[in-house]
Amino acid sequence: MALETTARAGIEPQVLQPIPVQVEGNNAEIEPTGEVAADLGVEAGAHGDGPVTAEVGYDAIDAHGGAEAAGMPQLDFSTFPNQIFWLLVTLFAIYFVVSRIAMPRIGAVLAERQGTVTNDLASAEELKLRAQEAEAAYDKALADARAEANRIADETRASIQADLDAELARADEQIGAKTAESEAAIAEIRAGAMDSVRDVATDTAKAIVAAFGATADDAAIAAAVDQRVKG
Amino acid sequence: MAVETEAEEGGLVFHPLDQFIVKPLFGDGEIHWYTITNVTFWMALTILCVAGLFALGTRGRAIVPSRMQSVAELAYGFVYKMVEDVSGREGLKYFPYIFTLFLFIVFANFLGLIPTSFATTSHIAVTAVLALSVFLTVTILGFVLNGTKFLGLFWVSSAPLALRPVLAIIELISYFVRPVSHSIRLGGNIMAGHAVIKVFAGFAAIATVAPLSVIAIAAIYGLEVLVAFIQAYVFTILTCVYLKDALHPSH
Amino acid sequence: MEGDIANMGQFIGAGLAGIGSGAAAIGVGHVAGNFLAGALRNPSAAASQTATLFIGIAFAEALGIFSFLVALLLMFAV
């Protein structure tokens, strides 16, 4: 491929632009355009001993390769300064974005989020504790209320019992009074009845004695009746 | 350019490497170092993507992140954890540099996968600069931090004494091959994938093979999406490994 | 004819270098397969070793890429 290298060396890149159009054609049909065509002609002539068509293929293709300045664009050293320059510009720009914008912002956000999460966890813990406290307080209140209710019930029961006792006592008292009254009345009635019995007995005894035709001392009759009634 | 030989089916032309040509965007003059080329354009898009993700995505600084912010945080956390795991806590000082490398490579790789785009990371010039910067940084850092103890990296003290000089030569060679493999691995993978897709696309000119060709392109494209990420990951993690060597040179 | 033979040599060399890609594929498969075998024996340790897996795959892959590069250089750059 040394031949194309020499051919390429003589050709300015700008001049080579029209060449690919001619690649498809035969050697005879290539339009001579300035020095390029002259060079191609020279190359073709130099290879004159081989079959013509084969030579044409090579030369046309080689000219096309020359248009790309080198076989691999990666190895075209003329573009290296350009790429390296723009790469450095790009890297500095990205470094600027990363160090001035991305890192502070994301670092701050991550730290803040970490803080928020920690705080939230702490407050959640605190709320849990508070909830436990509240539950304990509720239990205590419930127990207190129950105790209070018991107390109130006991008190009420006691007071009702006292009232009941008092009522019962009063009722008993009244009943006692009534009973005593009744007994007194009965005793009085009985006493009245005794007196009546003695009077009746004395009168009867007197009448009986009179009927027998005897006279009897009133006092003796009374004493005899008393003795009989008592007996 | 023998690949372009025409097949007898009629006009099958492969230009698998044409997609990598660096062209000026305006006009077609000579390419100077300052010329605005397609390289410039696609690298500018890379910057825009990174800036878009990190400047717009994290604009809210929300505790509960938006979608873009979670992507940004995910990338940040991913690389942060990688640096911490591989090169230790001392390596976190160099996290911004590594993160920069990762972001550039991952976005350039994915932008390169857009059809008709230009893959900047397929160029050996780009990957060589990346790899050489890592290599030089790590070497200088190793000597600055550890002094001559950094040379202990090549002197395997756990090996038998007789073997050590041999091992030292091997270690030395492997050390200097690092930037080469580091750069060619990335550039070669991206270039190979794109070239293969292009070759399959060339077969689509034959009507009978075209459906197969399209299916093959889809399959290779899927593989390339994976490769685009894995290569960025591998480049970054190897940077971390090299950094670890500089920070803790003892074996 | 001289150019023909030189070109033929390039093609043959590129094709031979292409075999290297297949060899790298074997290497990558070996790494991944062994990782899977180990991961299935001890799934709890698998997660911590994925980084090592990728490094291993990358090293195996890089050598295949080298051979691919040699093929490309033979085809286009020599």
Side-chain angles (χ1 to χ4, degrees), chain A residues 63 144 158 213 219:
Chain A
D144 282 356

Side-chain angles (χ1 to χ4, degrees), chain A:
Chain A
M1 292 271 223
L3 286 172
E4 308 93 78
T5 334
T6 53
R8 209 183 298 146
I11 297 168
E12 292 296 316
Q14 298 96 315
V15 188
L16 277 169
Q17 295 299 332
I19 296 276
V21 187
Q22 303 161 354
V23 168
E24 314 295 327
N26 207 322
N27 190 27
E29 290 162 16
I30 293 178
E31 306 269 320
T33 54
E35 51 176 316
V36 182
D39 276 354
L40 280 175
V42 167
E43 293 303 321
H47 284 263
D49 50 349
V52 180
T53 47
E55 289 302 319
V56 169
Y58 271 127
D59 278 352
I61 286 162
D62 287 339
H64 181 70
E68 287 165 16
M72 282 168 70
Q74 275 85 354
L75 294 179
D76 181 1
F77 293 102
S78 66
T79 64
F80 273 29
N82 181 272
Q83 296 193 48
I84 291 169
F85 170 67
W86 290 115
L87 172 67
L88 292 179
V89 169
T90 308
L91 285 183
F92 278 115
I94 293 178
Y95 179 72
F96 177 81
V97 170
V98 165
S99 63
R100 290 291 158 83
I101 299 174
M103 301 241 326
R105 280 191 192 173
I106 294 183
V109 165
L110 289 183
E112 201 178 337
R113 182 173 308 150
Q114 188 67 40
T116 312
V117 168
T118 315
N119 282 346
D120 284 358
L121 281 180
S123 60
E125 193 68 28
E126 196 183 324
L127 285 176
K128 196 178 158 198
L129 278 179
R130 211 177 289 166
Q132 278 172 349
E133 269 170 27
E135 200 188 342
Y138 167 76
D139 281 348
K140 191 169 169 294
L142 198 66
D144 282 356
R146 204 167 280 154
E148 180 76 9
N150 279 340
R151 194 180 59 76
I152 289 173
D154 284 348
E155 244 171 45
T156 317
R157 203 175 290 137
S159 73
I160 288 173
Q161 191 66 46
D163 284 355
L164 196 63
D165 286 349
E167 287 294 324
L168 277 175
R170 208 170 51 188
D172 279 351
E173 196 177 308
Q174 278 172 1
I175 290 169
K178 284 260 178 172
T179 311
E181 207 173 296
S182 306
E183 273 172 2
I186 289 171
E188 199 177 315
I189 289 168
R190 191 179 285 162
M194 273 306 186
D195 283 347
S196 302
V197 167
R198 189 174 291 131
D199 285 346
V200 171
T202 308
D203 285 347
T204 311
K206 220 181 262 181
I208 290 170
V209 168
F212 280 125
T215 55
D217 194 2
D218 283 349
I221 290 169
V225 168
D226 274 348
Q227 203 178 341
R228 282 292 209 188
V229 170
K230 272 181 191 161

Side-chain angles (χ1 to χ4, degrees), chain C residues 26-58:
Chain C
I26 295 174
V28 172
H30 200 68
V31 172
N34 276 338
F35 176 80
L36 188 61
L40 287 178
R41 286 209 184 147
N42 187 2
S44 57
S48 62
Q49 295 307 316
T50 41
T52 324
L53 168 73
F54 280 114
I55 293 175
I57 286 181

Side-chain angles (χ1 to χ4, degrees), chain B residues 149-161:
Chain B
K149 259 189 275 176
F150 184 60
L151 291 173
L153 191 64
F154 308 112
W155 196 251
V156 190
S157 46
S158 57
L161 193 60

Side-chain angles (χ1 to χ4, degrees), chain B residues 70-84:
Chain B
S70 19
V71 172
E73 282 172 13
L74 204 67
Y76 180 95
F78 178 70
V79 179
Y80 193 89
K81 191 166 175 304
M82 196 196 299
V83 176
E84 194 178 18

